[in-house]
Amino acid sequence: MMKANWIWTPDWHDEDKHVPRLVLFRKEIKLVQVKKAVVQISADSRYKLYINSKLVEVGPCKGDSEVWYMDRINVTDFMKPGINVIAIEVLRYPLEKEKGNYSVFRTEYPGLIFQLDNNITSDNQVNMIQNVISDNSWECFVNRNFKIISESDVFAPLKIYENVKGDSSLKGWSEQRFQSKGWSTAQEYDQYQISRQVSPGNLLPRPIPFLYRERAKFNQIINSDDTQPTRWKRLINGTGTVTVAKNSSQMVEISAGEEMTGYLKLSMCQGAGSHIKILQSEAYVQDEMTSTNGMAIPVKTNREDYIHGHLDGFTDNYTVAGFGSTDKPETYAPFWFRTFRFIRLEIKTGANPLKITDISYEETGYPLSVKTKVQTSDKSLDAIWKISERTLRRCMHETYEDCPFYEQIQYAMDTRAQILYTYQVSADDCLARKCLDDLQRSQRYDGLLNCSAPNYTSNVIPTFSIYYILMVQDHYQYFGDESLVKKHWPTILRILDFFDKHLDKRGIVSKIGGLNIVDRFWSFTDWTPEWNQTSGVPAATLKGPITAESLVYLLGLESAADLANSLQEYSVEKSLAKRISNLKRSLKAYCVGSNEMLQDGPGIDTYSQQTQVFGILSGVLEGSKARNILKETITHREKYAQCSVAMSFYLFRALEKTNLYAYTNDYWNIWRRMVANNCSTCIEAEAGDRSECHGWGALILYELPAVSLGVRPTKPGYAEMLVNPEIGYMDFAKGFVVTPRGKVSVEWHKENEQIFINITAPRSIRLKLSQNSDYSYKIQQY
């Protein structure tokens, strides 16, 4: 039971409430002995916990206005008998939404709560608990030399980059015998001030594992204006130091070897007054500019070409205090993890030389354990798998993220695909469950969800609520957890009711959205060049509703009908079936052109591959007609907006459904070009590749195990699996796939027109064989 109170600094002025602030807390404690020490901790907005100067953990896990998370940490290995120093940094974001990180909630009560329980045995063998709690015995200090700077004047959802002036008075603040002159005594909140009903008082256990942190080094010096560049190489290898002479400047560009998320650390000696800029970048870019969604972005070619390109990114600034020595260097470590592939250091010294003793980082991310492995006859896919696995890892932290460099926001459409990739390579649903809960709690008064959650700002893309429904169905298929479906069922029905209430007199979804920022809601569909001027929305939106919103709604109805059947909600299933039938009839009556293709908007003769794909997946287009229409968009690409990386998952499902999967060989060229351009992760889109690492791009993590090997459930919880690998354009495929019921191994190859398939699977999975006469099976179950 928590005995601690929330505490905060009394040195909190009105100006502090309106900017991000870093507040330091410390307490020295004496322990008789250390048997098992466990800390419970949370903060508004974020904390970093140090014990005896070692970073223990970072948190709390991202919550929202309804739920705040408490971390429980075993700190036994960090403690010692005698004096211990507990030191905590708390980053507090202001209530104004534009002045803080979009995915981090904050409340009226900035604060810290802490409790350490040390289970010991007394001299007379009586079990005791030695408690340390947050109260007015703690000291605190507002570091006003720490400032957060916005990464952009246009769109800045992170607010994590810093302008920091080193402070010699803080030297050794996390160590024993620190002279805390100028520090304040912490104040406790009254128990009635912080309600236990809502955040931050509504403390719940952390629902996901802690992120891993692994010490790492940079691996290469790319470019430098130093006449002795080898000394920088020795520095990053940990075998030397670099001294920058007084009244001089130095520039060096360093590579981590791949896209990385990690906590940066720079150590230095002397050099008072020196100024250091640390630019973090994903790639070398060209001087030429393009734009996406109204944002100017540089053109990219070879991501490693420093000769013809330059680094573009975000910058931290640090002014050196000069108190560092060889045995105890001054360190600068930005509070938040950074995303980078390349780092550029720009150093300008004053009257004192500066010695750099270390630049390194701790890699961090969700502890994803990839167990699935696949090989195919197409060796070019090996490199695509490699960058895709890295992409998924870099887009998983306390939530799934669209991209780690620009936003770090959990969008429903992006995340639906990322979750499927996770299921296929790890059978891990922990972060997926949290995602579903995050999205559920974001439901609005009208039934729609925020398109991303947790998100301190309001942001609605109507169809993204449907992707949440698809997520629930996906989870049920993979894990068979009926209780999870029941938990989310009321939310699903309210989403569907929103769309039902917004059908026009023709029976299709009315114009519920449109352009980003301009209209009330954003009807984002895909990033394709033809829709660049309309912010990723079919241009038909300028004249009325778009067909894609009706088609995605139809997918939601069909998923919900399947779930209703599983829950034995037969009256609801019957009602949904009627809505499905009526919507299909209306779409065929009002949204089909003379060429039998689905129009981008009712009565508007513009057509796109995306609209046909959703028409096929929803069953509006069927059979040979569906196949011919999709083939038309492939063979005459110049006539139709094409699915980009964002929509490739759905394009591949349509290719599979229409027996056109061999065309994936052509579409893998998008990723082959990424590899050729030395991308280390999957880009956001070819039409303006702003982000170098975008989660939806890790498509191959689903395609190879689920489709090429055919390992995916056909009955909830993998009770049944259809052994029907998609041959496509390949000659063979082999590998093993982890499932919630155990590992499934598949190997197949072609001989003339015959396909020979060997499969080994757990006995608990019923294997259903394809009726394809060209398939010859050898089955083994364990």
Side-chain angles (χ1 to χ4, degrees), residues 30 127 144 151 157 182 337 385 406 438 515 675 707 749 765:
K30 185 176 182 179
N127 289 329
R144 295 188 176 89
E151 66 266 29
F337 73 79
W385 179 283
Y406 287 99
D438 290 339
L515 305 184
V675 173
V707 187
H749 67 278
I765 300 178

Side-chain angles (χ1 to χ4, degrees), residues 15 48 55 104 107 116 133 140 269 388-389 471 650 660:
E15 65 183 57
K48 283 177 119 172
L55 178 60
V104 173
T107 74
L116 181 146
I133 63 173
C140 51
C269 301
S388 299
E389 182 181 324
M471 283 187 218
Y650 300 94
L660 293 171

Side-chain angles (χ1 to χ4, degrees), residues 117-185:
D117 297 328
N118 181 33
N119 293 281
I120 63 175
T121 304
S122 66
D123 293 338
N124 58 3
Q125 301 301 304
V126 176
N127 289 329
M128 300 173 60
I129 296 179
Q130 188 177 5
N131 293 124
V132 178
I133 63 173
S134 49
D135 56 20
N136 59 14
S137 67
W138 288 65
E139 297 176 304
C140 51
F141 179 84
V142 182
N143 184 0
R144 295 188 176 89
N145 286 324
F146 171 97
K147 291 180 173 60
I148 293 288
I149 51 179
S150 180
E151 66 266 29
S152 171
D153 295 331
V154 179
F155 178 55
L158 289 178
K159 298 293 195 307
I160 61 175
Y161 295 94
E162 302 173 3
N163 192 343
V164 178
K165 183 178 180 182
D167 187 345
S168 58
S169 72
L170 296 178
K171 177 183 178 181
W173 77 275
S174 62
E175 301 171 1
Q176 287 186 46
R177 295 181 292 277
F178 170 71
Q179 299 299 311
S180 54
K181 185 178 179 180
W183 286 53
S184 303
T185 298

Side-chain angles (χ1 to χ4, degrees), residues 2-20:
M2 286 289 290
K3 298 179 181 180
N5 293 318
W6 285 87
I7 60 173
W8 197 239
T9 175
D11 183 23
W12 196 242
H13 309 306
D14 184 68
E15 65 183 57
D16 297 322
K17 299 176 183 178
H18 303 290
V19 294

